[in-house]
Structure formats: C-alpha cells, structure tokens
Amino acid sequence: MTLTGLYVPLITPFDHDGAVALGALEALANDVLDGGAAGVVALGTTGEPSSLTREDRHRVVDLLARVCGERSAPLVVGADSAEVARALSRWPQVTATLSVVPPFLRPGEAGVLAHFTDLAAASPVPVLVYHVPYRTGQQLSAGAIRRLAALDNVVGVKHAVGGIDADTVDLLADPPADFAILGGEDAFISPLLALGAHGGILASAHVATARFADLVAAWRAGDATTARALGRQLAPLSTALFAEPNPTVLKAVLHAQGRIPTAAVRPPLLAATAESTKAALLRT
C-alpha cells in the first residue's frame, strides 16, 4: 500500500459550550473529500488531541470512520503508543496510524528504529512515521528513514523538516519502494512534490482544498506549468495560516467563513489575533 494524494488533518471544532461540534466536523470532512482530498487524518496535532478527553477522541474517530466508510476514503488516525495503536482495531475503516518520532528524549536513530519496530508490530494497521525534528528534537538522516521503510508494517512518512534540506534531497533521489513520502510542511509542499513526494498531509487544505488537490495532481502528472502557478498561489496562503500556532489562525478563518460555530481552541493555545486572521482571509 502506497498512500498518495492529498490528506487533510482535520481540526476539532468546538461549539459555544466548549463541546466538540460533531456536525461541523462531519461537514468539514465531507467538504474536503468533495474538494478532491484523497482522505483525512483524525487526531493529528491540528486536531488538538491532547486537549480532548478519551470520550471526545472516540467520538471524533467514530464520526470520521463512518464518513470515510460511506465515502470509501482512507482514514488515518494519530496514535503515538502501542496501547493507542492497538485500540484502532475497534474501527475497521482506519487505513493507517500517524505516529510521531518520540519527542524530547532524542533517543538517537537506533532508538527511533527500535521504537517503530515495536509500534509497528503492535499496530493492527500500517504505520506512517511523523518526522518533524524542530518539534521532536530528533533528526533523522535519509539512511535512517530508509531503515524505517524496511520495517514490516511501516508504510510511509509525513516529512516536515522545515524546508528542503540535504537529507530530503537524498531521500527523494532514491526513495524506498512502496513507501509513501508525504509532505507535511505546507508552505514547502510544491518543491517537495517537484522532487517526487507522493502527496501531502496539509492542514492548509481545509481552505482551497481543490487547489491543493490540483497541485498534488499536477506534479504527479508532470505538469510543471500548472503546478508552479498553483504553488506560487498557495505558499503565501499556508504561510498566513501558520503565522500563529496551528490551528489557531485556521480555526479563525473557518469560523469567519461560517464553516465552524466558534474559533475556539483549548489551552495551552490562545485564539488567533485579528491581524493574523485578516491577513489569512485576504489570501483565501
């Protein structure tokens, strides 16, 4: 299984009482799938999972499993431990789990490999590695990612290294077979696709979903003229949406568009400023 195309890591909208707004979440899921997304991600960092109760997390996955089942769309669910990954067997619609490289401890590449060996063995669904070194503190070389790709039940990587570095170029110059390399750095998705990435997991694609889907499709088809034009349009939008901690500006934009009932985020996040919200809306 090689995951390709556009995946949208969905926010968790809240209503005026602070509860999860399940109706708005269902509408968002259908909106992005209608817009050309291949699938959605539940309980990624954009979804604020650490601020949700266990019951809230289950409600979110219950809902998105139903929607994705009805739409025959892939559903990826965030799970960073063997215990949480094993629980995904409850939802047969789950296609894969997105699991971050262990943060803060900086266990080294051998430690990361051992961690994902154990996680992949425990998980009832394939594992996508989330590599975001400026958050985790753990760098991974192209060689380390190739070693991860060789593990049973590890099927890809969300690659978000803050730009296009030498290891990114090395990895995409000789990508592992049957291993999805999905960009996770929204503002840099166009050059990553140009180098051969299979798609992207892009929070910005809540907005202008069809244009992001077209961007992925154009690079995949080798239509550089169309892809470059779309990339020039979408990079400033992504930059504006990430001007403050994600998903604060994104939620403010979606609320201003009438797509979610409030722009509320949960602590430790603070609501986006009016200036950042206005700047992002001007890019939509």
Side-chain angles (χ1 to χ4, degrees):
M1 176 187 70
T2 302
L3 298 172
T4 61
L6 172 66
Y7 293 79
V8 181
L10 291 170
I11 64 154
T12 303
F14 301 122
D15 64 21
H16 292 282
D17 295 321
V20 176
L22 292 173
L25 179 61
E26 181 172 1
L28 286 174
N30 280 303
D31 283 350
V32 299
L33 293 171
D34 288 342
V40 299
V41 179
L43 306 180
T45 51
T46 301
E48 302 174 74
S50 63
S51 72
L52 302 179
T53 65
R54 181 176 180 274
E55 291 74 19
D56 282 342
R57 291 194 293 270
H58 281 189
R59 290 188 190 101
V60 166
V61 182
D62 282 341
L63 171 67
L64 295 178
R66 176 176 59 78
V67 171
C68 289
E70 292 169 353
R71 302 289 300 261
S72 298
L75 171 62
V76 179
V77 179
D80 294 331
S81 70
E83 178 184 7
V84 176
R86 278 192 290 266
L88 297 179
S89 61
R90 169 176 172 172
W91 297 281
Q93 301 91 338
V94 176
T95 304
T97 181
L98 180 64
S99 302
V100 72
V101 170
F104 188 75
L105 294 174
R106 294 187 292 183
E109 291 184 345
V112 171
L113 187 68
H115 168 78
F116 279 103
T117 299
D118 292 344
L119 181 64
S123 177
V125 296
V127 174
L128 278 168
V129 176
Y130 184 9
H131 178 38
V132 55
Y134 56 86
R135 292 183 185 268
T136 64
Q138 176 64 63
Q139 296 288 338
L140 293 177
S141 65
I145 294 174
R146 290 191 182 99
R147 290 190 290 276
L148 288 168
L151 296 175
D152 289 341
N153 210 32
V154 173
V155 296
V157 61
K158 179 181 178 182
H159 194 69
V161 301
I164 307 292
D165 62 8
D167 278 306
T168 302
V169 174
D170 183 346
L171 179 65
L172 287 166
D174 184 21
D178 302 319
F179 183 77
I181 300 170
L182 302 173
E185 204 69 60
D186 294 33
F188 291 93
I189 188 60
S190 188
L192 197 70
L193 291 163
L195 287 169
H198 298 90
I201 299 177
L202 307 173
S204 302
H206 283 80
V207 181
T209 309
R211 282 188 285 160
F212 277 102
D214 288 346
L215 173 68
V216 175
W219 277 122
R220 297 282 292 160
D223 182 358
T225 300
T226 298
R228 287 193 187 104
L230 285 166
R232 284 192 292 267
Q233 295 170 22
L234 293 172
L237 170 60
S238 293
T239 300
L241 289 170
F242 279 81
E244 296 183 35
N246 186 51
T248 59
V249 180
L250 176 57
K251 279 190 158 184
V253 167
L254 292 172
H255 176 56
Q257 293 176 334
R259 298 174 64 192
I260 57 175
T262 75
V265 291
R266 288 182 176 174
L269 294 174
L270 299 175
T273 63
E275 293 78 10
S276 291
T277 304
K278 180 179 179 181
L281 284 166
L282 289 172
R283 293 290 186 181
T284 61

